Amino acid sequence: MKIAFIGLGNMGAPMARNLIRAGNQLHLFDLNQQVLSELAELGGRVSKSPKHAVEGVELVITMLPAAAHVRSVYLNEDGVLAGISAGVPVVDCSTIDPKTIRDVAAAAAKQGVVVSDAPVSGGTGGAQAGTLTFMVGASPEHLSVLKPILAQMGRNIVHCGEVGTGQIAKICNNMLLGISMVGVAETMALGNSLGIDMEILANIINTSTGRCWSSEVCNPWPGIVETAPASRGYSGGFGADLMLKDLGLATEAARVSHQPVILGAVAQQMYQAMSLRGDGGKDFSAIIEGYLKSK
Ligand code: NAD
């Protein structure tokens, strides 16, 4: 299949590589020339603009940092909508707010183009291994067009509803994750200061009602889970700045819909403070450092 792939960063580049390996012909666009040259060596065609990239393709995929990039890549003079033919399906995999993708979809609909959203979870490891989870906001008809291609980059393809609902699923899940990590960090720090063996405390939590992903898989206390970022100096994993971005999307979406998200807003401010201290590149479980005495 001839596919335009725009946005070839930490996630987009390995996703595009998997599509090339699966035998697709890719039209590539990014602002970073180095990644374009690397992917061209694998057989991709480098394009001059999003408009140029989408000419003559059968599908368009975008994987961009944030809403402003998505708006410009789609709506600018040399953007996707300036070059695309009616009827070509489009899917944006970036994590952005639901309103932006719905606005872009409405603009595209005027020229007979259907835009869906399919944000991912699974991180850069999942992108490389082709095991991402896609949360798809699309009509059932459009989903069946996208599914075989998404399956070349991921393992789970979950239909969430119409366009925008993929983003809703993603930001709701990540808000809960951000909150639950703060809860586990606070709890582990309390146990430590009261003098219980930390492994015993973690085992109790993980076999009791406090159990969650943040306690069981990504416990913020070093040494509890060997494979967790906490056991390697909080490197790798899911950066606090990315969590901060997702909590910003959740609280902004909540503001627009007049829905209180009290704990989400508190968690957002905690990751904001972490980022200000210069720790935004650490795994988000390092939020526990704010609860511990400095050494
Ligand atoms: P990234 O910053 O590594 O890559 C973004 C790419 O987009 C860069 O190569 C950049 O040059 C390119 N870009 C920016 N503006 C552009 C423009 N106008 N035209 C063309 N290209 C442009 O980001 P990433 O880590 O690949 O993340 C992409 C999206 O996926 C984000 O929305 C992020 O929140 C989401 N996400 C990331 C992860 C992760 O672990 N990194 C996990 C899940 C979801």
Side-chain angles (χ1 to χ4, degrees), residues 177 181 184 212-221 224-225 227-230 234 237-238 283-286:
L177 176 62
M181 183 56 81
V184 173
C212 62
W213 187 89
S214 299
S215 68
E216 198 174 24
V217 180
C218 193
N219 197 293
W221 195 265
I224 298 290
V225 180
T227 50
Y234 302 99
F238 185 52
D283 181 73
F284 77 120
S285 62

Side-chain angles (χ1 to χ4, degrees), residues 173-182 185 213-214 218-220 229-230 234-244 247 270-271 274 277 279-289:
N173 177 69
N174 279 21
M175 185 178 84
L176 178 56
L177 176 62
I179 294 169
S180 75
M181 183 56 81
V182 170
W213 187 89
S214 299
C218 193
N219 197 293
Y234 302 99
S235 64
F238 185 52
D241 277 342
L242 285 177
M243 175 53 83
L244 179 59
L247 284 166
M270 292 181 71
Y271 292 104
M274 184 175 165
R277 287 198 303 271
D279 289 337
K282 289 184 181 174
D283 181 73
F284 77 120
S285 62
I287 196 78
I288 197 170
E289 290 178 334

Side-chain angles (χ1 to χ4, degrees), residues 140-151:
E141 192 190 12
H142 209 221
L143 176 72
S144 59
V145 174
L146 298 176
K147 235 181 178 171
I149 292 294
L150 298 182

